[in-house]
Amino acid sequence: METPEGVVAWIEARLRAAGDPARAVQEQRYLKSSRPFYGCGVPAVRRVAKSAIAEFGIGTRDALEPVVEALWAGEPFENRMVAIEMLVLRLALLGRDDLRWLRRWIAAGETWALVDRLSTAAAGDLVSRDPLGAEVVLDCWAVDESFWVRRASMLALLPSLRVSDDRWGQFCRYAEALMDEREFFVRKAIGWVTREVAKRRPDTARPWVEAQLGRMSSVTRREAIKYL
């Protein structure tokens, strides 16, 4: 079997071929990142991730982990994007204990462009599969020293909240505790999740929004009331 380094080299060659130097400059500036960029769009990144899994037969946890860790440790921004997409494609190999792994990546994610996909698509899937077991982990995330992890404590509930109110009380508990945060990305997350629930079930969101409106920042309020 190919070494993790060999798989990463294969992936990087395809990212390079799919990249656009002009787009790379624009994306680096937009995300205010010091990392090098290939200039690949999300569809291209996902195609490369899917192709790598098929090409190298990555079907077990033992095969997946060293490859995605090697990608995450690399310098190019899209390496981390591919690592996340490979995790998302192989979520069936992961369980609740892997939330600790995702927490490390989220804390080091540097930008919403990485953190949000990790939080919703990856952590969100694990939480929806084992909501009660994952609640203990998310309780810790909600008070984590990293604001990205605090943001993720709420975003990880989003896939579940899109289909039911089962985790609404849990979200409200985190949101109320974090309402006075001055960090933009935490404030935005409170509003984002509330907006998504209000869009689908306004009668669920409205009483809570009315009760918390006086505490909400303008960023949170703008999102929360959009569909109310």
Side-chain angles (χ1 to χ4, degrees):
M1 178 173 173
E2 185 64 76
T3 64
E5 293 76 18
V7 178
V8 170
W10 186 93
I11 288 169
E12 288 181 335
R14 278 144 188 83
L15 290 173
R16 195 174 296 111
D20 177 349
R23 179 175 182 151
V25 172
Q26 293 171 356
E27 290 185 345
Q28 186 184 46
R29 184 183 302 120
Y30 173 64
L31 294 174
K32 299 180 176 65
S33 176
S34 60
R35 292 183 175 276
F37 282 66
Y38 292 114
C40 294
V42 171
V45 166
R46 291 178 179 171
R47 284 194 298 272
V48 170
K50 187 174 182 179
S51 297
I53 286 173
E55 177 73 18
F56 298 101
I58 300 175
T60 67
R61 170 61 187 271
D62 287 345
L64 177 69
E65 183 171 356
V67 171
V68 295
E69 285 287 7
L71 281 165
W72 190 261
E75 280 297 309
F77 186 83
E78 287 92 342
N79 281 32
R80 290 192 165 194
M81 292 179 68
V82 172
I84 293 169
E85 294 307 322
M86 291 179 75
L87 281 184
V88 170
L89 287 166
R90 284 292 180 260
L91 280 172
L93 302 176
L94 307 184
R96 185 182 70 202
D97 289 346
D98 290 303
L99 286 170
R100 295 186 180 88
W101 185 13
L102 296 183
R103 184 256 164 221
R104 174 166 58 84
W105 281 19
I106 289 167
E110 302 171 359
T111 171
W112 60 268
L114 297 173
V115 167
D116 291 1
R117 183 71 169 158
L118 279 168
S119 303
T120 56
D125 179 83
L126 300 185
V127 168
S128 65
R129 279 194 263 147
D130 185 10
L132 295 180
E135 186 169 356
V136 175
V137 177
L138 294 188
D139 283 353
C140 294
W141 285 18
V143 295
D144 196 273
E145 62 183 3
S146 166
F147 72 82
W148 289 123
V149 179
R150 296 197 299 275
R151 176 179 170 91
S153 70
M154 294 178 285
L155 296 188
L157 297 171
L158 194 50
S160 298
L161 288 170
R162 281 179 171 142
V163 297
S164 83
D165 290 338
D166 290 350
R167 307 264 66 81
W168 176 243
Q170 185 180 355
F171 164 74
C172 292
R173 179 160 55 87
Y174 297 162
E176 288 170 27
L178 294 168
M179 196 71 73
D180 297 326
E181 281 257 8
R182 300 192 64 81
E183 172 54 55
F184 170 84
F185 288 103
V186 174
R187 290 177 168 185
K188 184 77 169 180
I190 296 171
W192 176 9
V193 176
T194 305
R195 180 195 71 203
E196 290 299 302
V197 174
K199 182 178 180 180
R200 293 162 173 79
R201 300 182 301 282
D203 289 344
T204 294
R206 185 176 291 108
W208 183 79
V209 171
E210 290 175 346
Q212 298 298 321
L213 203 59
R215 296 183 62 205
M216 289 181 177
S217 69
S218 59
V219 171
T220 301
R221 187 185 308 116
R222 185 167 55 250
E223 294 294 323
I225 68 175
K226 184 173 182 179
Y227 295 106
L228 297 175

